[in-house]
Amino acid sequence: MLVDCLNWRVQNEIDNILAKPIIPTELYRAVRDSQLVGVSGYSKEGLPVFAIGIGLSTYDKASVNYYVQSHIQINEYRDRVILPSASKKYGRPITTCVKVLDMTGLKLSALSQIKLMTLISTIDDLNYPERTNTYYIVNVPYIFSACWKVVKPLLQERTRKKVQVLPGCGRDELLKIMDHASLPHFCKKEGSGSSRRAENSQENCYSLDHLFHQQLYNYIKQQSLKREPIELIKQGSFHVDLPEPAPEGTEIAKTIESELHKFGNGNGMPHSLDALKIADI
């Protein structure tokens, strides 16, 4: 697995991906508005808190390659910048993070995103394993609860132990492991749910205006200028070889598909993942 990972990094020039900004800025903002992820702060133990908007991510504003590029860039920035900085600040090795998964807005249309989400998950499993300490799932609708009952037994035991489904927005439970300032914006008010927009876009950790994304995007642009100070930065996605999903991931995806179809009640939902197309704008 280690050799395969190293080969993947060499063949796809992953060491250079943090010098490949997604431009123009309007395109990167579109990616951020449709692939909802950000860092809201740190736990009391110093672990970075990643917020992910599962239910409201649409992945429909750019090509698959841009979403994969953005995801890998965040992974690399976490491993090269965030975790080393946290280790230095807290005086001990910090090698994992906490993830808060927001299910607000999860509905049948999520079926069209399963392929891309499975692909991203496979990239993480093969090349960024054991980077998450705990997954906290919040704002859970009934459709998730139904899927979780059948998916949970398919997960490996070590993965199941990492997952905690919290009541409501999870605020009270999350405050046991982090300060209020580090809560994702969608966890700060009970019943507030998640949104692409907070009252202040700088408080919305998904937004390009948030401090984390400003630092990340500026870092990538600075690295690009260091590598190519004379040439103009070219527009275009960073292409990465896309792996085949592992058997376990494929089985989970098909199980989720089956459960979602039960909610479809024949209302025009596609009968197979093979009939779905990922937007390639």
Side-chain angles (χ1 to χ4, degrees), residues 82-202:
I82 295 178
L83 293 177
S85 296
S87 299
K88 183 177 181 180
K89 178 180 179 180
Y90 289 90
R92 64 181 183 83
I94 293 177
T95 59
T96 60
C97 64
V98 168
K99 290 183 179 178
V100 183
L101 311 183
D102 179 26
M103 296 295 166
T104 297
L106 186 67
K107 49 190 177 182
L108 292 175
S109 58
L111 187 59
S112 64
Q113 302 158 24
I114 289 179
K115 276 189 173 180
L116 179 54
M117 295 175 70
T118 302
L119 173 62
I120 288 175
S121 176
T122 301
I123 290 174
D124 285 353
D125 290 342
L126 295 178
N127 303 290
Y128 302 95
E130 305 299 330
R131 283 291 188 266
T132 303
N133 181 278
T134 310
Y135 298 88
Y136 295 99
I137 303 178
V138 303
N139 294 320
V140 175
Y142 177 74
I143 189 172
F144 171 82
S145 301
C147 290
W148 178 240
K149 288 179 181 178
V150 294
V151 168
K152 186 176 180 180
L154 301 178
L155 299 175
Q156 295 183 20
E157 183 179 1
R158 70 173 187 274
T159 302
R160 286 200 301 271
K161 289 181 178 179
K162 291 182 178 182
V163 179
Q164 295 189 31
V165 181
L166 304 182
C169 70
R171 180 188 60 193
D172 294 341
E173 291 298 317
L174 291 174
L175 284 174
K176 296 177 182 178
I177 65 162
M178 68 184 75
D179 295 331
H180 187 272
S182 291
L183 287 174
H185 62 279
F186 51 82
C187 294
K188 290 186 176 179
K189 292 183 179 179
E190 189 67 46
S192 64
S194 173
S195 173
R196 291 180 177 83
R197 303 175 182 84
E199 293 181 2
N200 182 342
S201 62
Q202 294 180 350

Side-chain angles (χ1 to χ4, degrees), residues 234-264:
K234 298 178 181 179
Q235 182 176 355
S237 61
F238 187 94
H239 289 256
V240 175
D241 292 338
L242 305 180
E244 289 294 326
E248 180 188 25
T250 301
E251 183 179 3
I252 291 173
K254 288 185 177 297
T255 301
I256 294 174
E257 175 194 6
S258 175
E259 289 301 307
L260 289 175
H261 275 308
K262 292 178 183 179
F263 287 89

Side-chain angles (χ1 to χ4, degrees), residues 52-76:
I52 303 174
I54 300 293
L56 291 175
S57 291
T58 57
Y59 299 101
D60 61 353
K61 305 298 183 185
S63 71
V64 171
N65 287 318
Y66 281 118
Y67 289 116
V68 171
Q69 175 181 349
S70 173
H71 180 79
I72 295 175
Q73 285 178 330
I74 291 175
N75 280 355
E76 291 291 315

